[in-house]
Amino acid sequence: MDRKFYDNEREIDLAEQKSLYKRSKQIVLARTVIFILIIVTLAAGYDGYPYCYETAAVFALIFARLVRFHERLRRRREFLKSRMSVQGSYISRAGGTWRNRSNDGSVYLKNERPQDIDLHVFGAGSIFQYICAARTKRGRDRLAEALSPTPPKNFFEVRQRQKGVAELLTRPRLSLDLEAYGRLMPDNHDTTELIEMIEEPPSTISPILHLRYLIFPIFLLTAALTYYKAIDNIIFVSAIPLISLTLAVIVLRKTSEMLKPLKIISNELRLYKEIFNRIEETEFNSACLSKIRETLTKEISASEELQRLSLLVDVVNTRRNPVFFILGNALFLLDFHCVIVFCELRRHAAIHLRQWIDAWSEMEVLLSLASIGQTRTTFCFPQLIDETTPQIETKKLSSLLIADKKAVTNDVKLTAGTTIITGSNMSGKTTWIRTLAGAVLLAYAGAPVCAESFKVSRLWIFTSIRVNDDISQGLSTFYAELLRNLAKKNCQC
């Protein structure tokens, strides 16, 4: 692990965070001053001073810009905090103090697959807990699927994933940024409901929604005619906004139902937009990462589409304010515009959203596998042998679950046959077996392993380390072992 790199990054982020905090205080002060000036100019306009209302409108625009800028600063500070948290996670794993990480993958333990427990694949102090960088449920499911004792049918996809992980190791800042954005999402964020809602055919658009283009021009026309004395009755002018607002209220339940999916994605949508934009602006060399980028840029840009959707979400959330709802619908029929725009964006997103989310979940897997190379001093990418003869050869292999300074390395060369490992109690026999089998499992996932070199062919991983007998159920150790072997056989089939 390049500890100096992460320490330097932390110092840079701390310096920027302090600068942003100082600027935020200045923005708060400026907002307070501008707000006072708005009140003063409005009061002066009420007293009859000329151009005060126009000046108040200018101050209101400045105030709105300051609010927006302050929000951008707040989001940047949140991102930097998340980024430093990722750096701390890398450092803790390198130092061996990573067992307090929240997600240990216990939900993926399977009774019919005893290797999960025997090899510490899932659960407290497990391989999954060490490497997992996935924040979404879809990403964690994909990572758990990759950590399988079953060998892949061929090594092509594994080799492609190895190249993608290797490239991420040459781009540590990209890995930091992507994982930091992901960490801002809710823990175990599940996008299934969102995808299903977006993919549902939208409701039929009522012809009344097409009135959105008529209300404001008619209002401007009648206002201009009234100003130039062509119309003497002011009631006629005020009736236009009232009619517009009445129409919006009549179809409010229908429009709210059509805009319902936007309530789910207000914060996550912005994060996905930042993630996709970061990936899209990066040119990759490996086929694995290039495929992810191509998925996000093919036909339409994922980040640009989500940017438009994000702006729409902001508008829809703002319409919950009664004042904004009344003014927006009285003058522009804003709800009608939101529904039409969302239906258009929904048609585009329905085609691509599932692919975009799947692309990010694969990136989460690659980030997780790359964490081994980012936190270990010695590692290599296994050489995957296509020969049918079972064989393993490794030099200076150590356990991923033991810190570098404490780990004892070993060499081994095994082929088809029986090997007996002997030694005194507590001499490390079981630890070494778990280390070797766990390294094979990581090799099949496309991850680096903690060794100077590692070669492995396609072979099945079977274990019989923890056998749980149960006297109350009449399960002897021998019978429990028979049940485990039966489970292995069924798994293999």
Side-chain angles (χ1 to χ4, degrees), residues 390-392 411-422 429 432-433 436:
Q391 53 184 299
I392 303 175
D411 302 343
V412 72
K413 185 176 182 180
L414 300 174
T415 56
T418 302
T419 301
I420 299 176
I421 302 176
T422 62
K429 300 186 298 298
W432 170 239
I433 293 172
L436 185 61

mmCIF file of all heavy atoms in Angstrom, residues 390-392 411-422 429 432-433 436:
data_model
loop_
_atom_site.group_PDB
_atom_site.id
_atom_site.type_symbol
_atom_site.label_atom_id
_atom_site.label_comp_id
_atom_site.label_asym_id
_atom_site.label_seq_id
_atom_site.Cartn_x
_atom_site.Cartn_y
_atom_site.Cartn_z
ATOM 1 N N PRO A 390 -5.593 -30.644 -12.470
ATOM 2 C CA PRO A 390 -5.594 -29.719 -11.326
ATOM 3 C C PRO A 390 -4.181 -29.373 -10.879
ATOM 4 O O PRO A 390 -3.338 -30.260 -10.718
ATOM 5 C CB PRO A 390 -6.334 -30.505 -10.235
ATOM 6 C CG PRO A 390 -7.099 -31.557 -10.963
ATOM 7 C CD PRO A 390 -6.289 -31.904 -12.168
ATOM 8 N N GLN A 391 -3.910 -28.096 -10.674
ATOM 9 C CA GLN A 391 -2.595 -27.682 -10.202
ATOM 10 C C GLN A 391 -2.668 -26.289 -9.591
ATOM 11 O O GLN A 391 -3.424 -25.425 -10.043
ATOM 12 C CB GLN A 391 -1.573 -27.709 -11.331
ATOM 13 C CG GLN A 391 -1.975 -26.922 -12.576
ATOM 14 C CD GLN A 391 -0.960 -27.061 -13.685
ATOM 15 O OE1 GLN A 391 0.207 -26.686 -13.522
ATOM 16 N NE2 GLN A 391 -1.393 -27.616 -14.822
ATOM 17 N N ILE A 392 -1.870 -26.106 -8.557
ATOM 18 C CA ILE A 392 -1.710 -24.812 -7.883
ATOM 19 C C ILE A 392 -0.228 -24.621 -7.604
ATOM 20 O O ILE A 392 0.439 -25.536 -7.109
ATOM 21 C CB ILE A 392 -2.482 -24.739 -6.552
ATOM 22 C CG1 ILE A 392 -3.974 -25.027 -6.752
ATOM 23 C CG2 ILE A 392 -2.322 -23.372 -5.912
ATOM 24 C CD1 ILE A 392 -4.751 -25.078 -5.448
ATOM 25 N N ASP A 411 5.209 -21.092 0.463
ATOM 26 C CA ASP A 411 5.224 -21.527 -0.929
ATOM 27 C C ASP A 411 4.539 -22.883 -1.014
ATOM 28 O O ASP A 411 4.566 -23.670 -0.064
ATOM 29 C CB ASP A 411 6.648 -21.655 -1.472
ATOM 30 C CG ASP A 411 7.428 -20.348 -1.383
ATOM 31 O OD1 ASP A 411 6.775 -19.295 -1.215
ATOM 32 O OD2 ASP A 411 8.667 -20.393 -1.481
ATOM 33 N N VAL A 412 3.960 -23.184 -2.166
ATOM 34 C CA VAL A 412 3.345 -24.491 -2.352
ATOM 35 C C VAL A 412 3.256 -24.801 -3.831
ATOM 36 O O VAL A 412 3.123 -23.891 -4.663
ATOM 37 C CB VAL A 412 1.941 -24.544 -1.700
ATOM 38 C CG1 VAL A 412 0.946 -23.722 -2.489
ATOM 39 C CG2 VAL A 412 1.445 -25.977 -1.592
ATOM 40 N N LYS A 413 3.331 -26.078 -4.133
ATOM 41 C CA LYS A 413 3.131 -26.565 -5.496
ATOM 42 C C LYS A 413 2.381 -27.867 -5.401
ATOM 43 O O LYS A 413 2.907 -28.869 -4.907
ATOM 44 C CB LYS A 413 4.467 -26.748 -6.220
ATOM 45 C CG LYS A 413 4.308 -27.147 -7.683
ATOM 46 C CD LYS A 413 5.649 -27.217 -8.390
ATOM 47 C CE LYS A 413 5.466 -27.565 -9.865
ATOM 48 N NZ LYS A 413 6.779 -27.637 -10.571
ATOM 49 N N LEU A 414 1.145 -27.882 -5.866
ATOM 50 C CA LEU A 414 0.273 -29.049 -5.751
ATOM 51 C C LEU A 414 -0.259 -29.447 -7.124
ATOM 52 O O LEU A 414 -0.561 -28.589 -7.958
ATOM 53 C CB LEU A 414 -0.909 -28.754 -4.824
ATOM 54 C CG LEU A 414 -0.594 -28.358 -3.372
ATOM 55 C CD1 LEU A 414 -1.876 -27.954 -2.654
ATOM 56 C CD2 LEU A 414 0.087 -29.504 -2.646
ATOM 57 N N THR A 415 -0.369 -30.736 -7.331
ATOM 58 C CA THR A 415 -1.021 -31.280 -8.518
ATOM 59 C C THR A 415 -2.036 -32.323 -8.067
ATOM 60 O O THR A 415 -2.263 -32.492 -6.868
ATOM 61 C CB THR A 415 0.006 -31.920 -9.468
ATOM 62 O OG1 THR A 415 0.740 -32.926 -8.758
ATOM 63 C CG2 THR A 415 0.974 -30.871 -10.011
ATOM 64 N N ALA A 416 -2.633 -33.044 -9.014
ATOM 65 C CA ALA A 416 -3.631 -34.045 -8.669
ATOM 66 C C ALA A 416 -3.025 -35.101 -7.756
ATOM 67 O O ALA A 416 -1.928 -35.594 -7.998
ATOM 68 C CB ALA A 416 -4.179 -34.692 -9.938
ATOM 69 N N GLY A 417 -3.714 -35.400 -6.683
ATOM 70 C CA GLY A 417 -3.212 -36.376 -5.732
ATOM 71 C C GLY A 417 -3.631 -36.015 -4.328
ATOM 72 O O GLY A 417 -4.447 -35.106 -4.108
ATOM 73 N N THR A 418 -3.066 -36.716 -3.372
ATOM 74 C CA THR A 418 -3.383 -36.489 -1.970
ATOM 75 C C THR A 418 -2.180 -35.883 -1.274
ATOM 76 O O THR A 418 -1.057 -36.363 -1.425
ATOM 77 C CB THR A 418 -3.763 -37.800 -1.268
ATOM 78 O OG1 THR A 418 -4.884 -38.377 -1.943
ATOM 79 C CG2 THR A 418 -4.132 -37.557 0.181
ATOM 80 N N THR A 419 -2.402 -34.834 -0.515
ATOM 81 C CA THR A 419 -1.338 -34.168 0.237
ATOM 82 C C THR A 419 -1.731 -34.125 1.703
ATOM 83 O O THR A 419 -2.854 -33.727 2.042
ATOM 84 C CB THR A 419 -1.110 -32.739 -0.276
ATOM 85 O OG1 THR A 419 -0.760 -32.795 -1.657
ATOM 86 C CG2 THR A 419 0.005 -32.058 0.501
ATOM 87 N N ILE A 420 -0.838 -34.529 2.550
ATOM 88 C CA ILE A 420 -1.082 -34.520 3.990
ATOM 89 C C ILE A 420 -0.232 -33.419 4.618
ATOM 90 O O ILE A 420 0.984 -33.366 4.420
ATOM 91 C CB ILE A 420 -0.736 -35.881 4.628
ATOM 92 C CG1 ILE A 420 -1.609 -36.988 4.013
ATOM 93 C CG2 ILE A 420 -0.935 -35.830 6.142
ATOM 94 C CD1 ILE A 420 -1.268 -38.381 4.506
ATOM 95 N N ILE A 421 -0.887 -32.558 5.359
ATOM 96 C CA ILE A 421 -0.191 -31.482 6.068
ATOM 97 C C ILE A 421 -0.159 -31.839 7.543
ATOM 98 O O ILE A 421 -1.199 -32.077 8.158
ATOM 99 C CB ILE A 421 -0.898 -30.132 5.857
ATOM 100 C CG1 ILE A 421 -0.981 -29.797 4.359
ATOM 101 C CG2 ILE A 421 -0.179 -29.015 6.599
ATOM 102 C CD1 ILE A 421 -1.750 -28.531 4.055
ATOM 103 N N THR A 422 1.029 -31.883 8.109
ATOM 104 C CA THR A 422 1.174 -32.258 9.515
ATOM 105 C C THR A 422 1.786 -31.107 10.296
ATOM 106 O O THR A 422 2.394 -30.199 9.735
ATOM 107 C CB THR A 422 2.049 -33.503 9.661
ATOM 108 O OG1 THR A 422 3.369 -33.219 9.162
ATOM 109 C CG2 THR A 422 1.460 -34.668 8.899
ATOM 110 N N LYS A 429 -1.928 -24.949 10.463
ATOM 111 C CA LYS A 429 -2.329 -25.853 9.378
ATOM 112 C C LYS A 429 -3.657 -25.409 8.759
ATOM 113 O O LYS A 429 -3.761 -25.245 7.542
ATOM 114 C CB LYS A 429 -2.458 -27.289 9.903
ATOM 115 C CG LYS A 429 -1.175 -27.871 10.482
ATOM 116 C CD LYS A 429 -1.346 -29.330 10.853
ATOM 117 C CE LYS A 429 -2.412 -29.538 11.927
ATOM 118 N NZ LYS A 429 -2.084 -28.870 13.207
ATOM 119 N N TRP A 432 -3.471 -22.091 6.964
ATOM 120 C CA TRP A 432 -2.839 -22.179 5.654
ATOM 121 C C TRP A 432 -3.791 -22.753 4.611
ATOM 122 O O TRP A 432 -3.844 -22.273 3.477
ATOM 123 C CB TRP A 432 -1.569 -23.019 5.747
ATOM 124 C CG TRP A 432 -0.982 -23.367 4.407
ATOM 125 C CD1 TRP A 432 -0.755 -24.594 3.895
ATOM 126 C CD2 TRP A 432 -0.543 -22.434 3.415
ATOM 127 N NE1 TRP A 432 -0.226 -24.502 2.641
ATOM 128 C CE2 TRP A 432 -0.083 -23.184 2.307
ATOM 129 C CE3 TRP A 432 -0.525 -21.044 3.339
ATOM 130 C CZ2 TRP A 432 0.425 -22.602 1.161
ATOM 131 C CZ3 TRP A 432 -0.025 -20.444 2.187
ATOM 132 C CH2 TRP A 432 0.442 -21.213 1.115
ATOM 133 N N ILE A 433 -4.580 -23.779 5.006
ATOM 134 C CA ILE A 433 -5.554 -24.353 4.073
ATOM 135 C C ILE A 433 -6.578 -23.295 3.671
ATOM 136 O O ILE A 433 -6.934 -23.151 2.491
ATOM 137 C CB ILE A 433 -6.250 -25.568 4.721
ATOM 138 C CG1 ILE A 433 -5.245 -26.715 4.915
ATOM 139 C CG2 ILE A 433 -7.419 -26.029 3.873
ATOM 140 C CD1 ILE A 433 -5.797 -27.878 5.714
ATOM 141 N N LEU A 436 -4.965 -20.712 1.274
ATOM 142 C CA LEU A 436 -4.791 -21.224 -0.086
ATOM 143 C C LEU A 436 -6.127 -21.304 -0.817
ATOM 144 O O LEU A 436 -6.253 -20.836 -1.962
ATOM 145 C CB LEU A 436 -4.130 -22.607 -0.029
ATOM 146 C CG LEU A 436 -3.756 -23.235 -1.373
ATOM 147 C CD1 LEU A 436 -2.751 -22.359 -2.118
ATOM 148 C CD2 LEU A 436 -3.191 -24.641 -1.161
#
